[in-house]
Amino acid sequence: EPEVTQTPSHQVTQMGQEVILRCVPISNHLYFYWYRQILGQKVEFLVSFYNNEISEKSEIFDDQFSVERPDGSNFTLKIRSTKLEDSAMYFCATRGWGEQYFGPGTRLTVT
Amino acid sequence: QKEVEQNSGPLSVPEGAIASLNCTYSDRGSQSFFWYRQYSGKSPELIMFIYSNGDKEDGRFTAQLNKASQYVSLLIRDSQPSDSATYLCAVNPLTQGAQKLVFGQGTRLTINP
């Protein structure tokens, strides 16, 4: 069964450093999403991406965040200058026509 | 502010019984509704989705939707210890485009052998 994959599974970085989180969507899916979940809190929407452009973003998704699909397969989330409060699980999700399927997540720890 | 509310639990149910999980949402225009299961430290796993008023059954799971009351529920029949997890209700608000999900805080379910 096709599934969404994400790398790395765990990333530790120092405050102020840039990180790139990677996702490989299910192959025939057209819509891509990033969500995050701070420990013990709700899953929160960050951004949606369709047809090589952002279709919607949340208030969390400020100028420090960016997304791209550099090679037609990977879908990436970049955080330019990480803050302590960026520590969270980051989930990629993809959608064909209906439901969203989530990847296993990347645990980001900012020290 | 589009909200999705769930009782955070914990909800404790004996093995073999029916577990009933509830969710309310604030955006009356919401069109589609999802239940995800999340084990500790893992990602959300899609269990059920429902788009129309009424009941939808899939194996041991039944999703129920009442748009007039802005209420969606999940019933798990013949509960098993492996059903112990946090259940997330997610709603797609009425928006154009890519259809983000708004999640509730989740209900932690424990099935007691």
Side-chain angles (χ1 to χ4, degrees):
Chain A
E1 184 174 318
E3 57 183 26
V4 180
T5 60
Q6 291 186 243
T7 55
S9 57
H10 191 187
Q11 173 95 46
V12 181
T13 190
Q14 290 190 325
M15 195 167 50
Q17 296 298 303
E18 174 182 288
V19 295
I20 298 176
L21 311 182
R22 291 182 170 81
C23 168
V24 178
I26 294 171
S27 63
N28 61 346
H29 283 190
L30 302 176
Y31 298 87
F32 313 120
Y33 308 81
W34 286 100
Y35 293 84
R36 80 172 185 190
Q37 187 176 31
I38 295 170
L39 187 63
Q41 298 188 22
K42 294 183 186 186
V43 176
E44 300 175 288
F45 168 77
L46 292 179
V47 65
S48 57
F49 191 85
Y50 170 70
N51 199 23
N52 284 319
E53 61 182 24
I54 290 173
S55 47
E56 188 173 355
K57 58 185 180 179
S58 72
E59 293 175 353
I60 303 167
F61 194 89
D62 61 21
D63 292 344
Q64 294 300 311
F65 291 86
S66 62
V67 290
E68 64 175 358
R69 199 161 185 234
D71 56 10
S73 59
N74 288 284
F75 176 52
T76 63
L77 174 69
K78 182 192 291 186
I79 309 175
R80 288 189 184 81
S81 178
T82 50
K83 308 184 192 69
L84 294 175
E85 55 265 36
D86 294 327
S87 294
M89 283 289 288
Y90 287 81
F91 297 112
C92 172
T94 74
R95 178 172 76 91
W97 295 109
E99 306 75 52
Q100 292 186 29
Y101 294 90
F102 282 70
T106 293
R107 179 172 298 284
L108 176 65
T109 302
V110 182
T111 61
Chain B
Q1 180 77 5
K2 300 178 174 67
E3 298 285 346
V4 177
E5 298 290 337
Q6 296 180 255
N7 187 328
S8 60
L11 176 65
S12 186
V13 172
E15 183 175 357
I18 295 175
S20 178
L21 303 158
N22 304 314
C23 171
T24 58
Y25 58 94
S26 63
D27 186 350
R28 184 169 290 278
S30 297
Q31 294 296 310
S32 47
F33 308 86
F34 305 86
W35 284 99
Y36 287 84
R37 177 174 63 198
Q38 188 176 32
Y39 294 112
S40 181
K42 302 296 185 182
S43 64
E45 174 192 5
L46 183 66
I47 298 297
M48 290 284 291
F49 57 91
I50 187 166
Y51 302 143
S52 304
N53 275 329
D55 294 2
K56 179 182 178 183
E57 186 173 319
D58 183 2
R60 296 188 295 112
F61 298 95
T62 299
Q64 299 174 316
L65 175 62
N66 184 328
K67 288 187 178 181
S69 301
Q70 295 176 238
Y71 176 92
V72 58
S73 65
L74 178 70
L75 301 178
I76 307 174
R77 287 181 299 282
D78 188 23
S79 298
Q80 302 297 310
S82 58
D83 294 327
S84 298
T86 297
Y87 287 80
L88 308 178
C89 175
V91 174
N92 171 26
L94 179 60
T95 59
Q96 300 290 333
Q99 301 184 353
K100 69 182 181 187
L101 293 177
V102 178
F103 282 85
Q105 71 269 37
T107 298
R108 189 155 54 95
L109 174 66
T110 300
I111 306 300
N112 299 310

